[in-house]
Amino acid sequence: MGFFDRLKEGLTKTRKGFTEKIEQLVSGYATIDDEFLDDLEAVLIAADVGVKTVAALIADIKAGVKAKQINSPDDLVPFLKTRIAAILAAGEGAPRQAETGPTVIMVVGVNGVGKTTTIAKLGHYYREQGRRVLLAAGDTFRAAASEQLEIWGGRIGAEVIRHKEGSDPAAVAFDAVQAAKARNADLLIVDTAGRLHTKSNLMEELKKVHRVIARELPGAPHEVLLVLDATTGQNALSQARLFKEAVEISGLVLTKLDGTAKGGVIVAVKSELGVPVKWIGVGEKMEDLRPFVASDFASALFGDR
Amino acid sequence: MVFEGLADKLQQTFKKLRGRGKLSEADVNDAMREVRMALLEADVNFKVVKDFVAKVKERAVGHDVLESLTPAQQVIKIVNDELTNLMGGTQSRIAISPKPPTVVMLVGLQGAGKTTTAGKLALLLKKQNKRPLLVAADVYRPAAIKQLEVLGEKLEIPVFTLGDKEKPVVIAKKAVEHAQAYANDIVLIDTAGRLHINAELMDELKAVKQTVRPHEILLVVDAMTGQDAVTVAESFNNDLGLDGVILTKLDGDARGGAALSVKAVTGCPIKFAGMGEKLEALEPFHPDRMASRILGMGDVLSLIEKAEQAIDIDKAQALEKKLRKEEFTLDDFLDQLQQVRKLGSIDQILGMIPGMGGLTKKLQGAEFDEKQLKQVEAIIRSMTKKERRDPNIINGSRRKRIAAGSGTRVQDVNRLLKQFADARKMMKQFQQHQKSGRKGGFKLPFMR
Ligand SMILES: Nc1nc2c(ncn2[C@@H]2O[C@H](COP(=O)(O)OP(=O)(O)OP(=O)(O)O)[C@@H](O)[C@H]2O)c(=O)[nH]1
Ligand SMILES: Nc1nc2c(ncn2[C@@H]2O[C@H](COP(=O)(O)OP(=O)(O)OP(=O)(O)O)[C@@H](O)[C@H]2O)c(=O)[nH]1
Ligand SMILES: [Mg+2]
Ligand SMILES: [Mg+2]
């Protein structure tokens, strides 16, 4: 059999539900042996949890077996879910808000992860609560980025502050903060252009936007949300590290969880950087935003959606 | 650097192998564990990794260690060759239909880079004296049409749109008719991003395919994609029959294992690499570069190649024998240095190694700097043949003569002789360690 054929056959096997697979595992193995752990490892790696984190989790399992917290294979998945949920839940809390005046949320991330759409969703969420929302079109680089945000603004009933393409994003942020104060907005959400975390000039530009917001409104930005695409693999770690270094992110948004990718890399992101996941995106519509629930996420890592 | 180099780890793994004849299965298993880790960290799909590792193992077991003084590098080379082969040759072109217009459709997940890539391809084709027509068939994403129009305007390339009220099938059909009427020889259809599991939207693409029969359907894949790349690529391929892949956002630090995954499940050539947001940033895809990138090794491979060319295998084997018989002379020492020098300056060599690899450390440990190398060379050259063979005869007056002849100071000559004596002693110890099966800490480069 050729390489591709073998692979195809293998993939068909892996695609079978993991829940089903784990059930098979549980009934098929008398004890938690290495083979069992190998299969479990495959489940987690397939969910993008990453080899190092998986190794740490497997070590936890071994400790759990020793400590008699795990006595049979049936105990194993619940044990792991609890463990992963605990990692993810630490530091969870309500979104930070300004005591008086507008709350400013800045949204950052690499290209195409869903920043602008997430802003629309967040705006919609707060509009539903009767808040006055203002959006800042801080992506002055990508073709029709402002138009995109403007269309969303129209749909959710939020005003959009925009300059023309190619202008300084810090100037947009400046104007937007002034407008938010003058118009008594409850919330200002600042869109930024997608940028790869490795491009230092673009990261400097982002810092400048952040500085301007902080200077014009003490205490702001109250939240800096890093948007991560659930389809992304281990590179999300590098993204989170470098964005955190540049603008001290306060929370994560995990988008595109309506697909088949599980976004397991956030377990590593969370345990390394301590930044909590606040929201998840589950579609392209403005309603498709959910608060992040660690235990649900942990369960989903093992099951098919 | 986030990832410790695979080269380093393999070096560690193979340390214990010195002096043995062939790589045993157990040795190779150890090495393959490292290879597996490296590939998984690079986001190659775990299933693809498993099969790949099995394949490499077959080739590596029984490989002759003596033939290669550097088994770690040999294994890396095998891994790299296999990776490169698997990713296929360079086929960075759009197959032009003899009967114009050539129709190309870009498909993929949300945000992968389809619209930007459509603009990039249009520019590339325009430079080749084609007359491309961009087609706005994304009727869902807010301002998707406008985005393409802005790109078209910048590039001075026409954009065909019927607004967002018509169905993509209709838009595509009318666009091809338009191209025929206006002598556009290439039609580039930008489609909306969609999930591979969205049956309705996948059916929409199938309908477009049925209607306009594209010559090329290209899947646009984000280089940062993780394990799910295989699922996505396989679905798109099953539903549409892909002709090629374009990998985007390779200008970042993603290791890009998705390239391998996608290639493995679709068998389609990876045609281009997106290297930035600018419209010029589209490059031919290089399987060999991608392989080293996935392995996280920077230019280490080109270094290995250089080493292979520069280092004379026969000489190296003769040296190995001498080492064993403890007949290592200053001539051999000089010879070693010259072989290293052939690789370029030490700075250059170090520069090729990402993240302070094992070799870097070794060289630093030995405190070789460029100037010192030249000095050492001069000193040894000023010795007689006899002196080089038997440094013990080099007394005070000979030292003075050598210093004068090489334009150095007597202290420099003393230091070299001391270093050489130390090296010899180390080798002796090393040989004994080998015999007693303990690990050695011998430090000359390229001798492992
Ligand atoms: N399926 C799905 N698609 C999403 C989700 N969030 C965003 N998208 C889609 O992803 C694509 C990119 O979204 P944008 O909001 O434009 O992403 P961005 O990060 O602002 O992109 P840039 O500004 O170009 O860097 C669009 O097609 C969105 O509709 C989600 O949760 N699920
Ligand atoms: N750094 C970098 N960014 C890229 C590259 N290709 C595309 N992008 C950016 O990625 C983001 C998404 O690109 P689009 O072309 O809008 O992606 P799309 O697939 O058309 O998105 P949807 O239509 O929403 O599915 C934009 O910010 C682009 O500028 C690339 O090669 N490198
Ligand atoms: Mg955006
Ligand atoms: Mg698009």
Side-chain angles (χ1 to χ4, degrees), chain A residues 47 50 58 65 71 107 149 165 184 202 225 227 248 268 279 281 301:
Chain A
I58 301 269
V65 171
N71 297 304
V107 179
L149 193 69
E165 203 182 304
N184 284 322
L202 297 181
L225 298 177
V227 181
E248 207 41 66
W279 300 97
L301 281 183

Side-chain angles (χ1 to χ4, degrees), chain B residues 322 325-335 379-394 398 401-402 416-417 420-421 424:
Chain B
K322 279 187 177 171
K325 288 201 248 148
E326 294 162 31
E327 285 171 2
F328 189 68
T329 66
L330 273 163
D331 269 327
D332 302 320
F333 191 58
L334 182 62
D335 211 57
I379 294 174
I380 297 180
R381 284 196 191 289
S382 299
M383 295 176 185
T384 64
K385 268 201 179 119
K386 222 170 139 196
E387 285 166 347
R388 287 187 218 174
R389 248 194 323 269
D390 187 9
N392 289 330
I393 63 167
I394 307 181
R398 281 181 195 253
R401 193 206 76 237
I402 293 167
L416 173 67
L417 289 172
F420 178 73
R424 237 185 177 179

Side-chain angles (χ1 to χ4, degrees), chain B residues 90-270:
Chain B
T90 312
Q91 302 175 48
S92 296
R93 52 188 197 86
I94 300 292
I96 303 296
S97 158
K99 204 178 134 243
T102 301
V103 180
V104 179
M105 179 160 84
L106 297 172
V107 301
L109 294 183
Q110 289 94 346
K114 296 171 294 299
T115 308
T116 311
T117 305
K120 289 176 177 178
L121 275 177
L123 174 62
L124 187 87
L125 291 162
K126 188 183 165 189
K127 282 184 186 158
Q128 297 169 3
N129 295 320
K130 300 275 186 258
R131 291 171 39 82
L133 176 70
L134 283 163
V135 181
D138 177 354
V139 295
Y140 305 104
R141 170 171 164 172
I145 297 174
K146 179 77 185 168
Q147 185 185 355
L148 197 66
E149 282 175 336
V150 171
L151 298 182
E153 202 173 307
K154 272 187 196 151
L155 298 170
E156 295 178 349
I157 288 171
V159 175
F160 183 88
T161 156
L162 294 176
D164 59 4
K165 301 289 177 285
E166 285 289 355
K167 285 204 160 92
V169 182
V170 177
I171 298 170
K173 187 163 175 278
K174 295 253 167 83
V176 174
E177 288 165 10
H178 178 96
Q180 279 157 347
Y182 290 83
N184 292 112
D185 47 9
I186 310 241
V187 174
L188 295 166
I189 306 174
D190 177 33
T191 65
R194 67 202 69 216
L195 292 173
H196 51 294
I197 49 171
N198 186 327
E200 197 186 321
L201 287 180
M202 292 306 283
D203 282 346
E204 178 191 281
L205 287 181
K206 285 187 217 165
V208 174
K209 178 181 174 179
Q210 286 300 319
T211 312
V212 297
R213 305 246 153 235
H215 301 89
E216 298 235 356
I217 300 180
L218 303 176
L219 180 69
V220 179
V221 180
D222 185 327
M224 297 179 271
T225 312
Q227 296 286 318
D228 210 37
V230 290
T231 325
V232 174
E234 218 193 6
S235 298
F236 272 96
N237 195 30
N238 286 344
D239 285 353
L240 300 168
L242 300 173
D243 300 288
V245 173
I246 297 182
L247 213 58
T248 61
K249 307 180 200 174
L250 267 167
D251 43 327
D253 64 349
R255 297 268 294 277
L260 188 63
S261 303
V262 168
K263 175 68 213 247
V265 289
T266 65
C268 290
I270 302 174

Side-chain angles (χ1 to χ4, degrees), chain A residues 116 139 142 148 191:
Chain A
T116 307
D139 180 355
R142 211 209 60 213
Q148 184 188 1
D191 193 9

